[in-house]
Amino acid sequence: MKIHWGRIVIAALVAEALLVVLVNISRRLSLSEPTSSIIGYLSFIVFMFLAALWVTRKTESRFILHGALVGVAAVVSYIILTFNATLRGQVQIDVEYFFLHIIKILGGAAGGFVGGRRKAKAG
């Protein structure tokens, strides 16, 4: 019944770093706005999903909770990293901002769900 906070934080930070890299690459490629947004949305889901799968490899219970916590930790790390930019108005807080954070949490929860199903089939 233990929550694996170390794995959760590491997975969230790695996934968030990969998201930053991918967003910067898509900006440098000068992709159209719809294409860039679709890549962004899908990558948020996929990276959190994969991070949660990694966390659930060592988890014995509460898989969805562990996955959702990966998403929450990623959201918190993003907010901490962009706090000063947000205060200066450089980060726009709108509906999309909240939507992207919800996607992170749901992607993590989905990864936790699938990780739990894998454990149930294996064990």
Side-chain angles (χ1 to χ4, degrees), residues 7 51-60 63 115 118-119:
R7 290 180 71 85
L53 275 179
W54 180 76
V55 169
T56 58
R57 288 178 59 210
K58 298 287 184 182
T59 305
E60 297 302 322
F63 303 104
R118 282 183 170 181
K119 283 255 185 169

Side-chain angles (χ1 to χ4, degrees), residues 4-79:
H4 298 271
W5 288 107
R7 290 180 71 85
I8 288 168
V9 170
I10 290 169
L13 291 176
V14 168
E16 195 65 34
L18 291 172
L19 287 169
V20 168
V21 168
L22 185 67
V23 167
N24 285 330
I25 289 171
S26 68
R27 284 185 183 157
R28 292 195 195 281
L29 293 175
S30 301
L31 299 174
S32 66
E33 184 58 35
T35 303
S36 180
S37 293
I38 290 169
I39 290 171
Y41 296 149
L42 291 176
S43 63
F44 278 50
I45 294 169
V46 169
F47 288 157
M48 291 304 139
F49 181 88
L50 294 174
L53 275 179
W54 180 76
V55 169
T56 58
R57 288 178 59 210
K58 298 287 184 182
T59 305
E60 297 302 322
S61 64
R62 298 190 282 187
F63 303 104
I64 297 173
L65 174 64
H66 278 83
L69 286 174
V70 170
V72 170
V75 169
V76 170
S77 69
Y78 178 83
I79 291 170

